[in-house]
Amino acid sequence: MIENIAQNLPTIVLVGRANVGKSTLFNTLIEEHKALVSDIAGTTRTNNEGVIIWRGKEIHVIDTGGFDNDENESFADEIIDQDERALDRADIIVMVSDVKTGVLPQEKELARDLKKKYKKTKIFLVGNKVDSKKVELNLGEKEWQGLGLGYPIPLSATNGRGIGDFLDILYT
Ligand SMILES: Nc1nc2c(ncn2[C@@H]2O[C@H](COP(=O)(O)OP(=O)(O)OP(=O)(O)O)[C@@H](O)[C@H]2O)c(=O)[nH]1
Ligand SMILES: [Mg+2]
């Protein structure tokens, strides 16, 4: 049903490695506890879809499954392959990262591959888990600029900090 409603709406797709908080952000955005959230990597197996309403406008949002691994192996290919169908439909791609763990080298690869493959799509970077002002300072670290997606949009998917500003950026 969401698919029918959402067909003509602009679509944003949340991507990123496991456990960064994509599903938590999805639930906050749609204001429902629809997606399963846990601290176990690989919680989301199938995409979640919903509709956000912001300033009287609707936007379709897709939460995708993330990948992670203990070794220094690449996970960019897995993420892009698995999420390809959603990414192909995206008007905006939001790459979600975790400010508490910082940027992994593989995320640099993911950002690079997304930019290469989705040249015409707007891509934003979110620094999630910025639960307080103090944590926001971590975003000043050089590693964040190294992703080449501009200054990360700071927000907290759990307590809602920065969500309004984030939505304003998406809608402009
Ligand atoms: N402190 C804090 N924790 C958060 C925030 N957002 C998510 N988390 C926690 O991070 C963990 C992972 O959250 P999920 O939303 O399941 O992460 P995901 O990116 O969907 O993970 P996968 O589905 O495995 O790809 C959970 O324990 C969340 O409660 C946040 O803004 N602040
Ligand atoms: Mg998830």
Side-chain angles (χ1 to χ4, degrees), residues 140-160:
E141 300 289 334
K142 271 216 304 276
E143 57 178 8
W144 290 94
Q145 312 310 316
L147 291 175
L149 293 175
Y151 188 81
I153 303 162
L155 59 84
S156 169
T158 45
N159 74 15

Side-chain angles (χ1 to χ4, degrees), residues 23-62:
S23 297
T24 310
L25 177 59
F26 171 83
N27 286 339
T28 300
L29 290 171
I30 65 161
E31 299 176 71
E32 279 178 53
H33 292 284
K34 188 171 174 180
L36 198 64
V37 166
S38 90
D39 56 7
I40 300 164
T43 296
T44 304
R45 302 276 180 198
T46 50
N47 294 348
N48 298 296
E49 303 201 27
V51 174
I52 307 170
I53 301 168
W54 181 247
R55 299 196 190 281
K57 280 194 203 145
E58 289 181 310
I59 194 163
H60 173 215
V61 58
I62 306 178

Side-chain angles (χ1 to χ4, degrees), residues 16-124:
R17 67 180 172 86
N19 268 340
V20 293
K22 298 177 295 299
S23 297
T24 310
L25 177 59
F26 171 83
N27 286 339
T28 300
L29 290 171
I30 65 161
E31 299 176 71
E32 279 178 53
H33 292 284
K34 188 171 174 180
L36 198 64
V37 166
S38 90
D39 56 7
I40 300 164
T43 296
T44 304
R45 302 276 180 198
T46 50
N47 294 348
N48 298 296
E49 303 201 27
V51 174
I52 307 170
I53 301 168
W54 181 247
R55 299 196 190 281
K57 280 194 203 145
E58 289 181 310
I59 194 163
H60 173 215
V61 58
I62 306 178
D63 164 39
T64 64
F67 264 97
D68 217 342
N69 43 43
D70 295 331
E71 285 124 69
N72 281 342
E73 279 170 40
S74 162
F75 49 65
D77 285 350
E78 275 90 343
I79 290 180
I80 290 178
D81 285 352
Q82 179 184 270
D83 301 338
E84 200 166 31
R85 280 189 53 206
L87 288 166
D88 286 348
R89 291 166 68 190
D91 296 291
I92 298 176
I93 296 170
V94 175
M95 177 171 158
V96 185
S97 292
D98 180 338
V99 177
K100 290 189 193 270
T101 54
V103 177
L104 301 191
Q106 297 98 311
E107 288 181 286
K108 213 166 156 176
E109 203 181 314
L110 176 62
R112 191 199 57 206
D113 292 354
L114 285 172
K115 277 195 293 186
K116 202 164 129 196
K117 185 150 186 209
Y118 298 97
K119 282 195 187 78
K120 291 184 185 146
T121 312
K122 271 201 249 179
I123 307 177
F124 291 105

